[in-house]
Amino acid sequence: MASEKIDVRYVAKLARIALSEDEVERFEKQLGDLLGHVDVLSELETAAVPATAQVVESKNVERADEAGPSLDRETILSMAPQRQGAFFRVPKIIAEP
Amino acid sequence: MNDLVKRGAADIAREVRAKRISAAEVTEAALARVDEVDGRLGCYLTRLHDLARQCARRVDERVAAGDTLPLAGVPLAVKDNMCLTGTRTTAASKILENWIAPYTATAVQRMLDAGAVPIGKANLDEFAMGSSCENSALGVTRNPYDLKRVPGGSSGGSAAAVAAFEAAVGLGSDTGGSIREPAAFCNVVGFKPTYGRVSRYGLIAFASSLDQIGPLARTVEDAALAYDAMAGHDPMDSTSIDRAVEPAAASLREDLKGLRVGIVKEFVTAKLGPEIDALYKRAYQELADLGAELVEISLPTADYGLATYYLIAPAECSSNLARFDGVRYGLRVDGADVGAMYEQTRAGGFGPEVKRRILIGTYALSSGYYDAYYVKAQKARTMFAQDFRKAFERCDLIAAPAASSPAFEFDSKSDPYSMYMMDYYTIPMSLAGLPALSVPCGYAGEPALPMGLQLAAPLFEEAKLLGAAHAYERATGYAAKAAPAV
């Protein structure tokens, strides 16, 4: 995983963050530096090592499928930046034909 | 300063339960202290005077009714990435600057149920990403021992509040060292329990496989009391551990006889300069003087901790922070269409460090790089767990530095990686999920500033860990050898 130049604009697009030209330049350098540091991991021989997502024993947790108390709709909607009646209001998603 | 604010949690709770003082009196003293010094220190993003008074009244009623509350009347600082119903909960981010939590985190609720009184919501690095609190978008917190320096982070507001007597106990969260490092910088005890011991329900997520809530306090005993109140299974957090909790406050000890303490060969403190090297060598000797047998252990992966952490934590953060999209809560910045709205909201709402980590994480998880970065780091993580398991065959506890230096001055770490290096000694324990703490172990630098000794134990052995830290604290008494500057 030798470091290559990161396409910061592409990654920012995936992450849904608009970047200024300044930020593109700065992050490109900083992320490149950081990837240079993490490249040391390639020294570790891991072919026979399983990946660990959770270090403490864990198992799938199930519960009965029963309705319980939860926050009411008005509480949730009152936090929205914009609402319309019982809905979250967002800018247009589907362009007109 | 009213002397009540200097009392510890165990002392306050005992006196309130015995009705020799009231929770209301303790609370007024703490609030007055906040009003007196917090303008200079900036520990709190939100002060909770009204709620504190209400809670104190309720505690006094419960005590009068005969409830034996283990934390009766104890003033509490809550890191502002934990929800508390009806209070502003910001994660020190512009994206949540005006968000009012509609529910309470389990850990906070358990503290309140035990009689603690919330004094304020404490500052942190934005979304707990940082080691100095300088990444807070909403305020500056100063180190109570030297106002020109940082309090550490990310739980810097909680650590500084406890150090400056603005609370007796603070709640922090630790992902790679965020409780232990600020505790070391502020001359207090900071304790990260085993991953999963304390529920994360209501903790704003940073890196879910690493995040763990724990207490900061001026003594090990107080940290143990808070831990006992918070620990234990919670059905609201599916990663919380369903396993009996051994009460820690009942396991405190006065010596270390019969304990083997491992010193990590790869943690070469000579690299930290002669003064700090001597300080840690003295700390290890003090453990031996208390009866511990020192054994050399090896963590062959030690030097790979930062690399592993700075792939796993950003990867998880990039996924967790996807929820901040300007639709359901928090900041929205308008855009021409929904995509532009997302991008502008996140551009305006997140600070530089958060953006950096989201970008690195997105990159590490993106097509073509996933195996090389993320999976590789997950495999390295397995090696950390294996190395520690092997090390603990030869010792009961591990001793190490809590941070590479004492508190540094503001704006002195402009390169992100030099800031990340602060967590070199704490990250390995986090990757392995181990319980670990920092306890004051002396002073270094010019001016002389607090340093912390890190102790770590095998999974679930919190009681043994706190017990040993108590013995060290009682025998050495370093915290009492200096006083905050305010």
Side-chain angles (χ1 to χ4, degrees), chain A residues 1-20 23-24 26-63 69-72 75-83 87-95, chain B residues 99-103 194-196 208-209 238-239 241-243 301 303-304 306-308 310-312 316 326-332 334-344 346-347 350 352 354-356 358-360 362-363 366 369 372-373 375-383 385-386 389 414-417 420 430-433 459-460:
Chain A
M1 54 181 178
S3 20
E4 46 192 283
K5 202 163 171 178
I6 299 183
D7 184 348
V8 169
R9 279 195 186 81
Y10 172 69
V11 177
K13 191 82 197 161
L14 293 177
R16 296 284 196 183
I17 300 176
L19 297 182
S20 67
E23 282 178 314
V24 169
R26 196 166 61 245
F27 287 142
E28 198 166 76
K29 179 177 182 324
Q30 290 174 338
L31 300 192
D33 287 352
L34 184 60
L35 286 181
H37 287 293
V38 306
D39 272 347
V40 299
L41 280 187
S42 59
E43 298 166 15
L44 287 180
E45 182 45 65
T46 54
V49 180
T52 295
Q54 291 282 350
V55 283
V56 176
E57 86 252 19
S58 58
K59 53 181 187 341
N60 194 27
V61 177
E62 297 176 339
R63 63 166 174 78
S70 62
L71 296 171
D72 63 80
T75 304
I76 297 297
L77 283 163
S78 69
M79 300 189 301
Q82 261 196 307
R83 64 181 282 192
F87 301 98
F88 296 108
R89 192 181 165 89
V90 293
K92 191 159 56 182
I93 292 174
I94 301 168
Chain B
W99 186 63
I100 308 291
Y103 67 105
T194 304
Y195 176 79
S208 303
S209 78
S238 63
T239 58
I241 295 159
D242 195 358
R243 176 193 263 261
T301 43
D303 278 343
Y304 301 95
L306 280 168
T308 306
Y310 278 99
L311 288 169
I312 292 175
E316 293 185 14
V327 173
R328 290 152 301 151
Y329 47 82
L331 178 77
R332 171 186 294 187
D334 288 325
D337 56 26
V338 76
M341 186 276 282
Y342 292 151
E343 293 186 353
Q344 293 302 332
R346 291 161 65 79
F350 293 138
V354 174
K355 286 179 189 170
R356 224 167 2 245
I358 290 175
L359 292 174
I360 259 295
T362 303
Y363 180 75
S366 66
Y369 299 99
Y373 288 115
V375 174
K376 184 80 181 178
Q378 296 281 53
K379 290 182 169 191
R381 190 170 185 184
T382 307
M383 296 174 78
Q386 288 169 347
R389 215 171 295 133
S414 51
D415 162 37
Y417 201 76
Y420 299 169
S430 295
L431 289 171
L459 296 172
F460 312 118

Side-chain angles (χ1 to χ4, degrees), chain B residues 8-10 74 158-159 162-163 167-171 179 183 186-191 214-227 438-440 473 479:
Chain B
V74 172
S158 299
V162 169
V169 173
L171 292 188
I179 290 175
C186 292
N187 216 17
V188 300
V189 175
F191 171 44
L216 296 110
R218 291 190 294 274
T219 65
V220 173
E221 182 187 13
D222 287 358
L225 276 176
Y227 166 73
S438 173
V439 58
E473 170 193 66

Side-chain angles (χ1 to χ4, degrees), chain B residues 393-411:
Chain B
E393 287 169 6
R394 303 191 52 229
C395 62
D396 301 290
L397 300 172
I398 289 173
S404 312
S405 73
F408 45 88
E409 292 187 359
F410 289 95
D411 300 318

Side-chain angles (χ1 to χ4, degrees), chain B residues 131-156:
Chain B
S131 309
S132 68
C133 272
E134 291 170 291
N135 294 333
S136 170
L138 303 180
V140 174
T141 302
R142 297 178 183 283
N143 190 310
Y145 283 81
D146 181 348
L147 274 55
K148 294 195 301 294
R149 289 170 193 263
V150 303
S154 66
S155 309

